[in-house]
DNA sequence: TCTGGGGTCCTAGGACCC
DNA sequence: TCTGGGGTCCTAGGACCC
């Protein structure tokens, strides 16, 4: 069966979310930073025009920020996740066959439409999302996911397309491929781009028409699939159900390096708490957990890293249980004289919350206990992250990552609701 | 000065088994 | 002279994604 894929991609998503709630940002250069306020990870068109790149270090951009009065935000994921849900709700009204690909992209299955209806339908989708959520989107339509991705990119770039481009059965496909740099293809990163260009393959049309066996030899089956998709042969289907998560991890760098054991233990407690919360959200309990500590491998200081595996006799997602074990493990891993940059946790074996195996000598989590944790989670969700927390979990450690320029949780926290005034 | 954090997929090679 | 070969599981590393 011949499929038709549409890729709907939110433009400058994080920045667009901020703009929905502050119209004074319109027309101004705006950037959003990574979780530790270190890198630029989203830019408004105005900021792009000023030369801000994805992944730029903020400290290197200070002059430019001052000079052009760039508005800078720490990332506010509570807001972005919520806006993401709203966009998807609108998209779901256009087709039930929808894949959530990333926080700002959805694939839609539009199979069954006539080629000449597609562009108009794409424009309806774009208009409806923008009207109901305030988030601007681009739409690319084609026979395969990779081509839909490419169409989307061109839709964003081209003035004429005005945000929607349909390449399904289009006579302009070759032209579109020729206009696409080979490095802009989905699945072709920096390494492959260099390799292809040094072999004279500069645009997507040349890549599509290169010998298949050569592409497979140089880029494994991944490359061969990209090529097949450019030839309108579907290799990737719509995945409506998210894959069950295998590993649940928490690994964050510290705002500043940690040298003392006490501080490292405090950080470990906070990360264990976070890990437990993640597990509760997906209704899993951890059976085996890897804990690791690591110095900053970008620095010139002496390097050290070590890991330990923790076994839980009865799988758990109770913060008290996780914190106790993780802190004890970190105490063993700690070596004096190093500057620690991060702690990582990774649940390598988990069990479903309602299928946890009992243990003869260790009590199972009671249903009252589970209910208590559920209520605490809900409370924290509404009032702010750490209203109720384990006593050992500090939220004011020097090592806590900086996020000093975060916008309010407009849509998820009562105290942050926007206020409307009539003037 | 500072350098994200979460992933996926594929391949090669080693250990082990019969 | 010649010293199996095929399968599975695991890990590490490289490439990519947002």
């Amino acid at each position: 069966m011949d499929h038709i894929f549409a890729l709907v991609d939110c433009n400058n998503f994080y920045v667009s979310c901020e703009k929905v709630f502050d119209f004074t940002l319109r027309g101004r250069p705006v950037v959003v930073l990574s979780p530790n306020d270190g890198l630029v990870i989203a830019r408004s068109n105005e900021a792009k025009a000023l030369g801000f790149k994805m992944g730029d270090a903020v400290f290197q951009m200070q002059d430019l920020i001052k000079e052009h009065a760039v508005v800078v935000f720490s990332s506010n994921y509570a807001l972005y996740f919520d806006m993401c849900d709203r966009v998807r709700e609108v998209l779901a009204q256009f087709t039930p066959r929808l894949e959530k690909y990333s926080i700002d992209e959805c694939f839609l299955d539009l199979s069954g439409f006539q080629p000449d209806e597609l562009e108009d339908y794409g424009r309806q989708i774009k208009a409806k999302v923008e009207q109901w959520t305030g988030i601007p989107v681009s739409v690319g339509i084609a026979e395969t996911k990779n081509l839909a991705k490419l169409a989307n990119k061109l839709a964003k770039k081209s003035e004429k397309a005005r945000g929607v481009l349909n390449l399904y059965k289009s006579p302009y496909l070759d032209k579109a491929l020729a206009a696409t740099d080979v490095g802009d293809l989905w699945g072709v990163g920096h390494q492959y781009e260099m390799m292809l260009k040094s072999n004279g393959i500069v645009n997507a049309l040349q890549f599509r028409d290169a010998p298949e066996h050569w592409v497979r030899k140089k880029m494994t089956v991944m490359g061969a699939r990209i090529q097949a998709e450019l030839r309108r042969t579907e290799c990737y289907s719509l995945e409506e159900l998210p894959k069950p998560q295998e590993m649940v991890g928490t690994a964050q760098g510290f705002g500043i390096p940690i040298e003392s054991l006490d501080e490292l233990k405090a950080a470990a407690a906070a990360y264990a708490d976070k890990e437990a919360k993640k597990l509760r959200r997906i209704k899993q309990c951890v059976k085996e957990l890897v804990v690791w500590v690591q110095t900053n491998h970008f620095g010139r200081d002496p390097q050290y890293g070590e890991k330990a595996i923790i076994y839980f006799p009865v799988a758990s997602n109770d913060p008290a249980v996780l914190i106790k074990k993780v802190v004890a493990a970190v105490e063993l891993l700690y070596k004096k004289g190093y500057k620690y940059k991060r702690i990582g946790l990774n649940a390598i074996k988990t069990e479903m919350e309602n299928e946890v195996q009992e243990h003869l000598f260790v009590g199972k989590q009671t249903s009252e206990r589970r209910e208590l944790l559920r209520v605490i989670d809900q409370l924290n969700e509404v009032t702010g992250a750490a209203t109720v927390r384990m006593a050992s979990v500090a939220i004011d450690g020097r090592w806590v990552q900086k996020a000093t320029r975060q916008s309010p949780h407009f849509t998820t926290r009562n105290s942050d609701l926007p206020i409307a005034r009539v003037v």
Side-chain angles (χ1 to χ4, degrees):
Chain A
M1 148 101 184
D2 206 14
H3 283 118
I4 304 174
F5 292 97
L7 176 64
V8 180
D9 185 311
C10 301
N11 303 344
N12 312 332
F13 182 56
Y14 297 172
V15 165
S16 297
C17 290
E18 302 289 351
K19 284 193 174 183
V20 169
F21 293 94
D22 184 350
F23 62 88
T24 67
L25 297 174
R26 279 178 215 171
R28 299 178 63 188
V30 180
V31 299
V32 173
L33 308 181
S34 63
N36 200 19
D37 286 357
L39 306 176
V40 172
I41 55 169
R43 309 151 293 154
S44 69
N45 290 341
E46 297 79 10
K48 285 178 188 172
L50 287 175
F52 283 89
K53 300 263 177 322
M54 201 75 172
D56 276 344
V58 183
F59 76 95
Q60 285 174 332
M61 311 305 282
Q62 287 305 341
D63 291 348
L64 207 55
I65 288 170
K66 263 200 204 116
E67 192 185 329
H68 297 277
V70 177
V71 186
V72 178
F73 285 98
S74 301
S75 39
N76 181 349
Y77 287 97
L79 175 64
Y80 311 149
F81 282 122
D82 191 61
M83 293 306 291
C84 169
D85 286 342
R86 293 175 186 214
V87 170
R88 285 170 184 172
E89 272 171 43
V90 178
L91 293 178
Q93 297 175 10
F94 287 90
T95 170
R97 297 180 305 277
L98 172 152
E99 174 188 341
K100 304 162 183 178
Y101 176 68
S102 76
I103 189 163
D104 66 340
E105 290 163 284
C106 270
F107 282 106
L108 275 49
D109 182 352
L110 300 185
S111 307
F113 278 87
Q114 293 306 309
D116 61 350
E117 300 171 330
L118 286 168
E119 185 181 328
D120 183 56
Y121 201 61
R123 294 209 182 275
Q124 286 179 41
I125 293 172
K126 178 174 163 65
K128 196 64 81 176
V129 173
E130 292 178 4
Q131 183 193 343
W132 288 4
T133 69
I135 303 287
V137 297
S138 305
V139 183
I141 304 167
E143 286 88 345
T144 63
K145 282 183 166 181
N146 213 303
L147 283 173
K149 209 59 187 174
L150 186 146
N152 188 290
K153 200 154 228 173
L154 288 175
K156 270 207 178 75
K157 234 172 47 180
S158 143
E159 289 274 324
K160 219 177 107 203
R162 289 177 294 121
V164 179
L165 181 63
N166 171 34
L167 288 180
Y168 183 77
K169 300 229 156 122
S170 164
Y172 301 111
L173 178 62
D174 283 14
K175 226 174 138 189
L177 290 171
T180 300
D181 188 283
V182 74
D184 286 339
L185 283 173
W186 190 33
V188 176
H190 184 246
Q191 298 297 321
Y192 286 151
E193 180 186 352
M194 295 294 118
M195 186 277 293
L196 289 167
K197 286 187 175 168
S198 71
N199 282 281
I201 295 170
V202 175
N203 64 48
L205 185 66
Q206 291 169 322
F207 179 71
R208 184 197 69 185
D209 296 337
E212 195 195 320
H213 60 93
W214 182 83
V215 169
R216 180 179 290 262
K217 198 177 79 190
K218 290 284 195 177
M219 299 170 67
T220 78
V221 296
M222 302 302 283
R225 281 181 199 151
I226 298 167
Q227 196 184 29
E229 289 231 321
L230 296 184
R231 294 175 178 177
R232 292 179 158 142
T233 302
E234 181 182 330
C235 298
Y236 299 103
S237 52
L238 196 79
E239 286 170 33
E240 296 173 58
L241 299 175
K243 292 186 199 86
Q245 219 168 338
E246 269 189 19
M247 284 205 240
V248 186
T250 303
Q252 253 187 333
F254 308 132
I256 54 155
I258 292 182
E259 287 183 77
S260 83
L261 176 58
D262 280 346
E263 260 185 317
L264 197 64
K265 278 161 69 177
Y271 286 21
D273 185 50
K274 200 171 155 185
E275 177 77 8
K277 190 190 250 171
K278 266 192 194 172
L279 288 161
R280 292 199 295 281
R281 196 183 312 139
I282 58 170
K283 300 197 185 322
Q284 301 262 330
C285 289
V286 61
K287 184 79 183 152
E288 286 181 30
L289 184 72
V290 179
V291 186
W292 43 277
V293 297
Q294 181 70 52
T295 51
N296 182 3
H297 51 258
F298 289 108
R300 275 181 224 98
D301 296 314
Q303 299 290 306
Y304 168 66
E306 191 53 87
K307 62 181 177 180
I309 298 181
I310 300 174
Y311 298 92
F312 294 85
V314 176
S316 175
N317 58 18
D318 185 328
V321 176
L322 265 73
I323 288 171
K324 198 173 155 200
K325 290 253 192 187
V326 169
V327 169
V330 164
E331 214 163 351
L332 291 174
L333 294 173
Y334 175 80
K335 268 201 204 170
K336 214 171 144 65
Y338 293 98
K339 293 179 180 167
Y340 295 90
K341 178 62 182 173
R342 67 181 66 225
I343 290 179
L345 301 178
N346 228 332
I348 50 175
K349 260 191 199 160
T350 60
E351 294 172 7
M352 293 298 294
E353 204 172 62
N354 54 6
E355 292 169 2
V356 168
Q357 295 294 308
E358 290 199 53
H359 189 280
L360 194 53
F361 303 109
V362 187
K364 198 176 170 176
Q365 217 180 73
T366 64
S367 55
E368 294 86 43
R369 175 82 185 170
R370 201 177 295 164
E371 183 61 15
L372 172 68
L373 292 171
R374 199 183 59 75
V375 171
I376 290 174
D377 287 343
Q378 263 179 9
L379 194 60
N380 286 340
E381 179 80 19
V382 175
T383 58
T387 306
V388 180
R389 62 179 194 274
M390 304 297 297
S392 56
V393 176
I395 52 167
D396 53 357
R398 296 186 306 133
W399 47 270
V400 171
Q401 288 201 344
K402 296 164 277 185
T404 53
R405 291 179 271 196
Q406 199 176 73
S407 55
H409 294 59
F410 293 113
T411 57
T412 52
R413 194 179 292 174
N414 286 340
S415 60
D416 291 356
L417 283 174
I419 297 166
R421 290 194 182 83
V422 181
V423 283

